[in-house]
């Protein structure tokens, strides 16, 4: 019995020891440090939020199971040195984690201390995107990185189709690295930061310094300004901008979340401050609406008495405390023990009065950091969970617009779905859709109290005119030419540019500058290159949009179609006496004739035994075959087919003859009635295969293109005018000319309007157009493209074209009459064949009559005189010609032939019956 009682007692003892050991592993108090600036906009609310979070954690026994958090706060005053000193003091008091710092500048300094002593550093306000886990493994950002904020700004800029922005930033780590992130995000969307100016950090910045900065900004073309600063400097910028008139119509101001923090914390701001920020777009870190958030907001109002508003950074500070509490609880559950060891590096350092040896390494730092990064719970700011790159998941921002005494929310931006008017949390359950049509925001009231979207750029009011280069052409002056003795230009291209500029909703000061020596056409490639080097602000003229030029400049919408074509001489093909043979080639004639004979023979074979019309003497059968086959050409065959096979063959052959006859008729009609033109050159391929010289226009890109496709430069001859075109082509390669000219279509069309001896041969082998050239990303190119489209749609572009480029074309009336009228020479061959057949037939007939005349002429009488003898002979000849052949003789001859044939057939039959007879 005693043994039975002793065993349970021992079990209870061991369990009790184990339980007491687990409890003893959790200390009564865990020290946490907090470093931030108490008197800043973020610091004031963060201090209250951290204190309330500590109270809530310590009052909740289910989190740390009796262990209390003790948070010691240090005021960094946004100073890296003060923050570092505070961090060192924390490391002397067995601190396991530090909340903060608030400033990105301070975070860069303290993170080195945290890395050395392995103490996790959790910042709820340091947004610098360069604070990476690779460089600072113990730094954990518990708010959103500025990388996402700058991505949101870039998508807003792209959404409103702006291409250039000006950035005013605080010139420290916070501002510089934020600017770098914005620059990268804009570049990914083909936008750019055209001008950036830094505000010196620290309290020494004066209003005069800001004035100097904004005066420079006002002279720039872009009117989209991003302000990334701290509140003190930011409000000073807005005040000076308002004084300079830079908060008026046409300007766009985008402020980062520093402004939304102030609006949330200190609203309403003084009226004079609100007047300076009307129409500004602001980003604010998005925190989903929830019951817990509303309850905390109500509690916040009671705590502060309404003197301080609740901003997003206060919510992140509150959740940071809970994040540490959950991580420490998991740390203890995994058997972690809070212990510290001396740092050998610090012990060997001569610290003097700094007492560096008092600082020690947190032995459980790695385990606690791991638990922090594996946290997964729902806080006031939403789902608290870290992605593999140690960023909070599902980053999102509110887009707000400052209006009146407050602000209005325009929509949201999230890294998941971009810009939308629906809260991001409602979109997470749907497939991601970042298409441009799905990006939406509510309408904005812009600076100047206008709802019309600002253009985003203007010509600065500094009296400077755009320098527009214009080619000084010596040929084809209808397109562009300089008025003799003046600085004015005229022509088709000039009128199009002037009309497009007049459609712009703003004035464009410009001056035309001639380019070229006036003796030959300038190189257009060199002219375009001057834009990239800053020599010209644009180029207006007949500038072809080609690949190598688009790499260095931007072109407007093409205002004229263009492309390279081949201009070559031609000659008219006369029909001639034997034109009727041209519809078919020689093989076609041969095969057709052969098939006529083949069909005649086949039908004769199939009909010979059963059809009397295909029987008879060999000569007759041969003539029957020839007559039957040839008569089918006109569907006039006399003989009837009896056999089924013969009829099938005949039907198929008649169908073939019908098709051949129709095709021949159509082709012959075209040959005889349509003007036929011929050129030995068929297109660019013919020129490539030959070795003959090729002409091109001086200054044209045709030279470079022809070299690119493999034509030797030695074959290319530069021609300067339409007259040189005509002369060179007429001479031909053998007389020092060219085989053809390769030039752009508009020039060739204008040339052909007065030169009727040449034609375009082949197809247009490049597709291009003419446009006006401007520097890369020039907004003027975009606006002028819209104006050119308007000119095209309302018909003005065609009217300008007709004014300059319509010329009296070559008279083709006589040519058309000649081609429609048929001449004797076109049918001379047919008449010759028919006449020859008639002559031969009459000649044979005459021979037959003469043969009969010899046998029928009576002997000459002596008494008859020579005159009477000739008379009788003529009468005899004419009587023979006029005599009707006796049908009975023909029938008798036919009967004899049939009897002879019948007799022969009877003999054959008798022999077959009696071979021995």
């Amino acid at each position: 019995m005693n043994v039975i009682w002793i065993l349970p007692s021992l079990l209870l003892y061991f369990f009790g020891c184990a339980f007491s050991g687990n409890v003893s592993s959790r200390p009564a108090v865990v020290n946490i440090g907090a470093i931030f600036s108490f008197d800043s906009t973020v610091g004031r609310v963060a201090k209250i939020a951290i204190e309330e979070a500590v109270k809530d954690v310590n009052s909740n026994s289910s989190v740390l199971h009796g262990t209390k958090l003790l948070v010691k706060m240090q005021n960094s005053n946004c100073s890296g040195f003060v923050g570092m000193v505070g961090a060192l003091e924390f490391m002397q008091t067995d601190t396991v984690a530090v909340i903060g710092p608030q400033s990105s500048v301070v975070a860069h300094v303290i993170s080195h201390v945290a890395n050395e002593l392995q103490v996790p550093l959790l910042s709820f306000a340091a947004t610098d995107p360069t604070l990476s886990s690779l460089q600072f493994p113990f730094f954990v950002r518990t708010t959103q990185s500025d990388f996402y904020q700058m991505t949101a700004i870039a998508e807003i800029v792209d959404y409103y189709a702006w291409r250039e922005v000006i950035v005013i930033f605080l010139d420290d780590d916070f501002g510089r690295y934020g600017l770098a992130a914005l620059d990268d995000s804009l570049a990914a969307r083909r936008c750019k930061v055209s001008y950036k100016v830094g505000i010196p950090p620290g309290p020494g910045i004066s209003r005069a310094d800001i004035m100097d900065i904004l005066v420079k900004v006002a002279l720039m073309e872009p009117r989209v300004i991003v302000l990334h600063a701290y509140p003190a400097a930011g409000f000073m910028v807005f005040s000076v901008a308002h004084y300079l008139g830079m908060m008026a119509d046409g300007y766009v101001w985008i402020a980062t979340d520093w402004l939304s923090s102030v609006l949330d914390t200190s609203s309403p701001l003084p009226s004079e401050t609100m007047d300076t920020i009307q129409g500004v777009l602001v980003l604010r870190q998005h925190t989903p609406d929830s019951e817990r958030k509303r309850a905390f907001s109500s509690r916040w109002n009671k705590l502060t008495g309404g003197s301080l508003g609740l901003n997003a950074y206060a919510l992140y500070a509150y959740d940071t405390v809970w994040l540490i509490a959950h991580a420490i609880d998991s740390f203890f559950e995994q058997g972690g023990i809070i212990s510290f060891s001396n740092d050998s590096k610090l012990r060997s350092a001569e610290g003097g009065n700094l007492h560096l040896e008092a600082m020690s390494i947190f032995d459980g730092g790695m385990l606690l950091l791991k638990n922090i990064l594996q946290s997964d719970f729902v806080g006031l700011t939403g789902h608290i969970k870290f992605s593999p790159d140690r960023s909070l998941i599902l980053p999102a921002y509110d887009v707000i617009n400052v209006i009146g005494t407050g602000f209005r929310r325009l929509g949201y931006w999230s890294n998941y779905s971009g810009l939308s008017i629906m809260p991001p949390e409602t979109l997470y359950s749907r497939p991601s859709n970042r298409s441009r049509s799905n990006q939406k925001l509510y309408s904005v009231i812009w600076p100047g109290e206008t709802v019309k979207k600002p253009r985003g750029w203007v010509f600065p009011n500094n009296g400077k005119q755009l320098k527009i280069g214009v080619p000084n052409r010596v040929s084809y002056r209808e397109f562009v030419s300089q008025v003799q003795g003046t600085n004015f230009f005229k022509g088709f291209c000039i009128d199009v540019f002037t009309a497009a500029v007049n459609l712009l909703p703003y004035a464009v000061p410009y001056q035309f500058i001639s380019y070229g020596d006036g003796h030959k056409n300038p190189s257009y490639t060199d002219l375009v290159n001057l834009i990239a080097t800053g020599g010209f602000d644009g180029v207006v003229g007949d500038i072809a949009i080609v690949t190598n030029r688009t790499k260095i400049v931007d072109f407007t919408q093409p205002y004229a179609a263009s492309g390279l074509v081949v201009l070559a001489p031609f000659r008219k093909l006369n029909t001639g006496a034997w034109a009727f043979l041209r519809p078919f080639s020689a093989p076609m004639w041969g095969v057709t004739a052969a098939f006529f004979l083949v069909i005649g023979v086949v039908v004769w074979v199939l009909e010979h035994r059963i059809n009397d019309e295909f029987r008879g003497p060999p000569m007759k059968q041969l003539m029957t075959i020839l007559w039957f086959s040839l008569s089918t050409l006109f569907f006039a065959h006399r003989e009837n087919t009896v056999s089924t096979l013969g009829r099938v063959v005949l039907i198929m052959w008649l169908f073939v003859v019908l098709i051949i006859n129709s095709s021949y008729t159509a082709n012959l009609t075209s040959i005889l009635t349509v003007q036929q033109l011929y050129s030995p050159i068929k297109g660019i391929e013919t020129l490539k295969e030959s070795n003959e010289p090729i002409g091109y226009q001086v200054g044209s890109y045709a030279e470079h293109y022809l070299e690119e496709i493999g034509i030797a430069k030695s074959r290319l001859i530069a021609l300067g005018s339409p007259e040189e075109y005509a002369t060179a082509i007429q001479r031909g390669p053998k007389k020092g000319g060219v085989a053809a000219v390769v030039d752009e279509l508009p020039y060739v069309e204008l040339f052909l309007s007065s030169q009727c001896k040449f034609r375009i041969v082949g197809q247009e082998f490049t597709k291009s157009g003419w446009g006006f050239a401007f520097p890369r990303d020039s907004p003027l190119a975009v606006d002028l493209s819209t104006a050119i489209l308007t000119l095209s749609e309302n018909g003005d572009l065609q009217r300008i074209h007709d004014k300059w480029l319509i010329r009296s074309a070559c008279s083709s009336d006589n040519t058309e009459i000649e081609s429609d009228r048929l001449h004797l020479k076109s049918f001379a061959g047919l008449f010759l064949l028919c006449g020859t057949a008639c002559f031969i037939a009459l000649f044979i007939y005459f021979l037959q009559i003469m043969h009969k005349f010899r046998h029928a002429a009576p002997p000459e009488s002596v008494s008859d005189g020579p005159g009477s003898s000739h008379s009788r002979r003529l009468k005899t000849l004419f009587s023979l010609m006029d005599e009707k052949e006796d049908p009975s003789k023909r029938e008798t001859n036919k009967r004899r032939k049939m009897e002879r044939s019948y007799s022969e057939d009877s003999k054959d039959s008798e022999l077959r019956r009696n071979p021995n007879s």
Side-chain angles (χ1 to χ4, degrees), residues 48-71:
I48 300 174
I50 292 173
E51 291 172 348
E52 292 304 308
V54 172
K55 292 179 182 179
D56 293 343
V57 169
N58 289 336
S59 62
N60 190 335
S61 59
S62 63
V63 180
L64 290 175
H65 305 287
T67 301
K68 302 297 182 182
L69 289 183
L70 178 61
V71 177

Side-chain angles (χ1 to χ4, degrees), residues 127-156:
T127 56
D128 177 5
T130 63
L131 289 166
S132 65
S133 58
L134 294 177
Q135 183 180 5
F136 306 113
F138 281 86
F139 175 83
V140 179
R141 194 194 320 271
T142 59
T143 186
Q144 301 296 345
S145 167
D146 274 342
F147 170 80
Y148 298 108
Q149 181 173 210
M150 298 309 171
T151 302
I153 292 176
E155 293 201 17
I156 292 173

Side-chain angles (χ1 to χ4, degrees), residues 204-215 236 240 244:
I205 185 70
S206 66
R207 188 177 180 88
D209 297 331
I210 300 296
M211 185 80 71
D212 293 339
I213 291 173
L214 293 185
V215 167
M236 187 181 296
V240 175
L244 294 176

Side-chain angles (χ1 to χ4, degrees), residues 67-274:
T67 301
K68 302 297 182 182
L69 289 183
L70 178 61
V71 177
K72 298 179 181 179
M73 300 185 185
Q74 291 277 0
N75 187 357
S76 66
N77 290 320
C78 293
S79 169
F81 175 75
V82 175
M84 182 180 65
V85 171
L88 294 176
E89 291 181 358
F90 285 144
M91 303 311 171
Q92 297 178 6
T93 58
D94 296 341
T95 301
V96 299
V98 176
I99 299 175
Q102 168 191 338
S103 168
S104 298
V105 177
V106 179
H108 274 278
V109 177
I110 299 180
S111 294
H112 293 285
V113 178
N115 288 348
E116 181 66 25
L117 301 180
Q118 298 186 10
V119 176
L121 187 65
L122 292 83
S123 177
F124 58 88
T127 56
D128 177 5
T130 63
L131 289 166
S132 65
S133 58
L134 294 177
Q135 183 180 5
F136 306 113
F138 281 86
F139 175 83
V140 179
R141 194 194 320 271
T142 59
T143 186
Q144 301 296 345
S145 167
D146 274 342
F147 170 80
Y148 298 108
Q149 181 173 210
M150 298 309 171
T151 302
I153 292 176
E155 293 201 17
I156 292 173
V157 171
D158 185 52
Y159 173 77
Y160 289 111
W162 300 317
R163 286 293 169 261
E164 296 185 22
V165 302
I166 294 174
V167 180
I168 302 175
F169 64 99
L170 198 67
D171 198 6
D172 60 5
D173 291 346
F174 163 74
R176 283 191 296 270
Y177 296 132
L179 167 64
L182 176 60
D183 204 357
D184 293 341
S185 297
L186 287 171
R189 291 156 183 83
R190 297 196 64 184
C191 306
K192 69 175 183 179
V193 176
S194 60
Y195 182 68
K196 49 193 173 185
V197 56
I199 302 174
I205 185 70
S206 66
R207 188 177 180 88
D209 297 331
I210 300 296
M211 185 80 71
D212 293 339
I213 291 173
L214 293 185
V215 167
K216 294 178 182 178
V217 170
L219 296 177
M220 303 293 170
E221 290 184 4
R223 285 293 182 260
V224 181
I225 305 171
V226 177
L227 181 56
H228 186 50
Y230 294 142
F235 281 116
M236 187 181 296
V237 169
F238 281 129
S239 176
V240 175
H242 185 266
Y243 173 77
L244 294 176
M246 297 175 65
M247 301 300 297
D249 185 14
Y251 281 89
V252 177
W253 287 85
I254 303 176
T256 52
D257 62 354
W258 66 266
L259 181 54
S260 60
S261 299
V262 177
L263 293 174
D264 287 337
T265 305
S266 305
S267 184
L269 295 175
S271 59
E272 58 272 15
T273 302
M274 292 299 299

Side-chain angles (χ1 to χ4, degrees), residues 322-353:
W322 276 93
L323 174 65
I324 294 175
H326 285 294
I328 292 175
D329 184 57
S330 299
F331 174 81
F332 288 143
E333 290 291 338
Q334 296 170 8
I337 299 176
I338 296 179
S339 62
F340 297 87
S341 58
N342 293 328
D343 190 346
S344 58
K345 298 178 183 178
L346 296 178
R347 291 181 62 86
S348 61
E350 293 294 334
N353 296 327

Side-chain angles (χ1 to χ4, degrees), residues 437-621:
S437 60
N438 198 54
Q439 305 298 296
K440 294 180 181 178
L441 289 175
Y442 288 118
S443 60
V444 183
I445 297 180
W446 304 99
E449 298 183 357
T450 178
V451 295
K452 182 180 179 182
K453 188 200 78 170
R455 191 170 60 251
W457 70 279
V458 296
F459 287 102
N461 187 20
N462 56 6
K464 179 183 177 182
Q465 291 182 322
L466 294 179
K467 294 181 294 182
I468 304 297
V470 181
N472 187 8
R473 294 192 58 89
V474 296
S475 63
Y476 295 112
R477 296 172 63 84
E478 293 86 351
F479 293 106
V480 57
S481 63
Q482 187 174 6
V483 179
Q484 191 69 26
T486 68
N487 292 326
F488 297 102
F489 288 81
K490 64 179 182 178
F492 168 69
C493 304
I494 300 299
D495 281 4
V496 172
F497 177 76
T498 303
V501 168
N502 290 337
L503 290 178
L504 297 178
Y506 50 87
V508 179
Y510 64 89
Q511 59 176 338
F512 288 136
I513 300 176
S514 176
Y515 179 78
D517 57 10
H519 301 292
K520 64 178 182 179
N521 295 333
S523 170
Y524 281 23
T525 300
D526 295 341
L527 176 58
V528 170
N529 287 336
L530 287 176
I531 299 177
T533 58
F536 289 128
D537 299 316
V539 168
V540 170
D542 45 340
I543 312 297
I545 304 173
V546 293
T547 303
N548 62 331
R549 296 174 185 171
T550 58
K551 293 177 180 179
I552 58 176
V553 297
D554 279 351
F555 283 92
T556 62
Q557 171 79 15
Y559 62 86
S562 179
L564 294 179
V565 293
V566 177
L567 178 68
F570 75 98
R571 61 183 176 87
K572 299 177 182 179
L573 289 178
N574 296 321
T575 52
W578 305 100
F580 68 91
L581 296 176
R582 284 171 55 193
F584 290 161
S585 62
M588 181 65 181
W589 282 115
V591 172
T592 303
F595 258 89
F596 271 107
L597 295 177
V598 169
I599 293 300
V601 172
V602 170
V603 172
W604 180 83
V605 170
L606 297 176
E607 297 290 326
H608 175 68
R609 295 181 64 256
I610 59 177
N611 193 339
D612 291 339
E613 294 182 356
F614 289 87
R615 298 186 66 84
M619 184 58 67
K620 178 188 176 183
Q621 297 304 303

Side-chain angles (χ1 to χ4, degrees), residues 656-864:
V656 173
V657 169
L658 174 64
I659 300 301
I660 293 175
N661 199 358
S662 301
S663 303
Y664 177 84
T665 303
N667 202 342
L668 183 61
T669 302
S670 174
I671 291 173
L672 296 177
T673 59
V674 178
Q675 187 66 256
Q676 302 292 313
L677 305 178
Y678 170 76
S679 173
I681 299 172
K682 305 302 181 184
I684 188 63
E685 294 299 327
T686 305
L687 294 178
K688 288 175 62 177
E689 294 170 358
S690 69
N691 291 319
E692 296 177 336
I694 304 170
Y696 68 92
Q697 184 182 175
V698 175
S700 172
Y701 75 97
E703 178 186 14
H704 176 73
Y705 179 84
L706 294 175
E707 291 179 8
E708 286 291 325
I709 63 174
I711 297 177
K713 190 173 183 178
S714 59
R715 294 177 55 195
L716 303 180
I717 298 178
L719 303 174
S721 66
E723 293 75 17
E724 293 185 22
Y725 282 20
T727 303
I729 297 177
Q730 287 175 343
R731 286 179 179 174
K734 296 181 180 179
K735 297 182 179 180
V738 296
V741 170
V742 175
D743 203 357
E744 297 177 56
L745 183 61
Y747 303 122
V748 174
E749 289 178 341
L750 187 60
F751 174 81
L752 293 177
S753 66
S754 58
Q755 296 285 345
C756 302
K757 299 178 181 179
F758 312 97
R759 285 290 186 274
I760 296 174
V761 295
Q763 299 295 323
E764 185 178 358
F765 53 90
T766 64
K767 294 295 182 181
S768 181
W770 288 353
F772 305 130
F774 294 94
R776 296 300 299 269
D777 301 321
S778 171
L780 188 59
V782 178
D783 289 354
L784 279 178
S785 295
T786 304
I788 290 172
L789 289 175
T790 303
L791 291 176
S792 177
E793 293 169 358
N794 62 21
D796 287 345
L797 190 59
Q798 185 62 42
R799 283 188 283 272
I800 297 173
H801 176 276
D802 297 343
K803 170 187 174 182
W804 288 98
L805 304 181
I806 294 297
R807 293 289 182 270
S808 56
C810 299
S811 178
S812 59
D813 295 339
N814 294 335
T815 304
E816 291 177 357
I817 292 174
E818 292 295 327
S819 64
D820 292 339
R821 185 177 296 162
L822 299 178
H823 299 275
L824 175 60
K825 64 180 180 180
S826 301
F827 302 95
L830 290 173
F831 289 131
L832 178 62
L833 288 177
C834 187
T836 302
C838 292
F839 175 79
I840 293 174
L842 289 174
F843 180 74
I844 294 173
Y845 176 75
F846 181 75
L847 292 178
Q848 293 175 347
I849 293 297
M850 293 303 294
H851 178 72
K852 291 182 179 182
F853 176 73
R854 289 194 189 95
H855 291 85
E860 296 182 0
S861 175
V862 178
S863 61
D864 294 337

